[in-house]
Amino acid sequence: MNNLNWKSWRTVAGLATAAALALVAGPARATSGPTTYAVYGASGGLGASAGEPSIGVNERTGAVMYIAGTQTLKVSFNDSTTPATATWQNVSALQTSLITFDPILYTDQKLGRTFVSQLLPTTVSLMAYTDDDGATWNASQGAGIASGVDHQTVGGGPFHRGGLLGSLPQLYPHAIYYCSQDIALASCAVSLTGGSTFGPAVPIYNLTQCSGIHGHVKVAPDGTVYVPNKNCNGQAGVAVSTDNGVTWTVRTVPGSTAGSSDPSVGIGADGTVYLGWSNGDGHAYVAVSSSQGVAWSNITDVGASLGIQNIAFPAVVAGDGDRAAYAFLGTTAGGNATGDDPNFPAVWHLYVAHTYSGGTSWSTADLTPTDPVQRGTICTAGTTCGTTRNLLDFLGVAVDGEGRVLVGYADGCVGTCVSGGANTFASEARIARQTGGQRLYRVFDP
């Protein structure tokens, strides 16, 4: 990780099966075969400031889209060689490459449309979308009227058959959602025009229901919409809409406690929901629901077997209904590892947990065992942080059309930091890409 041209091939084997400790867990069960990943760094001087990256995959072309600050990057993987090689290109739209208070990227995976949003300190963000992986861009309204001013998220998926909006004529096959938070509430606006324009924003919860910043919006195959939140009356939860964003209901995980990072939802092909969150004790928990969040099962601490005491930036993705991956930054150091102390004795690595059994068992691996992502704390207190908020607020995870998991993250520990020196507070663009083991779509299993 000494420079942006660095590229490594790292095999991660001998996965540890996470003990199903926790709140309502079933027995842990080993899964077959090791899972391997390769880690790629951006080249050509790109991705030098990549805190809180988003990552998406266009299944039609195989292109991987990645946002790093004001840069929108296209990454092309060549699997004709072993290891695969990656080519990084800057394909930024002019209107989303000038200024940002929060960068967000979302790729409508099946249809191939990618959206880039740059937050402005107003109710409208700068947004553009592309149908050709960044070769050309189209301008968007940016957000719905009365949208919140902070921490926007963009997502999309099929329209739900229920409700008025599902029966209206649409100019694009999928609903596109823009959600953001304000001081007293969070809201979502829906687009019936493929992200070109948005309707007015609708509150999804208020401060009597949930507090703080929410996670990223996700849409199930049946059109159910989920926005996760770390603290809904003291528990991890989700705001759920089954009528295309017109009305919302908050549902929580019993026994969970509010943590320090935004939670994340992954949704399987059959609608199974996987919610990953940082629990109040700092541990990496996940729960599974087949009832749109009404009930939860298989509540598991996926880092317990590796001694992980604190995590940051949980990110979950699912494929087949019984298969999911849960990425996060983790450390075996206890105490306040998500405070703001560059001298705190924590060493952070990138981990991914996989389940192939609907969450009854998880296998967790350290993808960067000899190459830390951060030393010291990873501050999760927002703009009140000092130097240890270099990685900002989250990382990204996606699954490609053949079921490989890809994790987009920023690397804060480069140069002498790797071998034990002080943290360098970098934020360089990285992608960890699955290279072996079972895929999230079983039809592509090796």
Side-chain angles (χ1 to χ4, degrees), residues 194-234:
S196 176
T197 60
F198 287 86
V202 174
I204 63 175
Y205 58 76
N206 59 47
L207 286 181
T208 68
Q209 299 169 295
C210 301
S211 62
I213 296 173
H214 53 70
H216 297 312
V217 60
K218 301 283 183 70
V219 182
D222 70 349
T224 302
V225 189
Y226 299 87
V227 180
N229 188 287
K230 65 186 178 184
N231 185 2
C232 294
N233 289 318

Side-chain angles (χ1 to χ4, degrees), residues 86-152:
T87 301
W88 297 69
Q89 297 173 264
N90 187 345
V91 295
S92 302
L94 176 62
Q95 61 266 50
T96 59
S97 61
L98 302 176
I99 186 172
T100 184
F101 287 81
D102 271 323
I104 287 291
L105 177 146
Y106 164 70
T107 299
D108 191 346
Q109 195 152 331
K110 300 297 183 184
L111 301 181
R113 178 169 291 187
T114 292
F115 302 82
V116 171
S117 173
Q118 300 287 12
L119 186 72
L120 295 178
T122 64
T123 59
V124 176
S125 293
L126 297 173
M127 182 185 288
Y129 61 90
T130 176
D131 293 313
D132 52 18
D133 302 328
T136 59
W137 291 90
N138 303 283
S140 164
Q141 176 186 343
I145 296 173
S147 292
V149 298
D150 188 30
H151 207 70
Q152 88 283 28

Side-chain angles (χ1 to χ4, degrees), residues 343-355:
N343 299 312
F344 190 86
V347 180
W348 297 81
H349 295 265
L350 173 66
Y351 295 86
V352 176
H354 286 253
T355 184

Side-chain angles (χ1 to χ4, degrees), residues 10-36:
R10 180 179 294 116
T11 299
V12 182
L15 297 176
T17 301
L21 295 179
L23 313 171
V24 190
R29 184 176 69 225
T31 56
S32 59
T35 301
T36 57

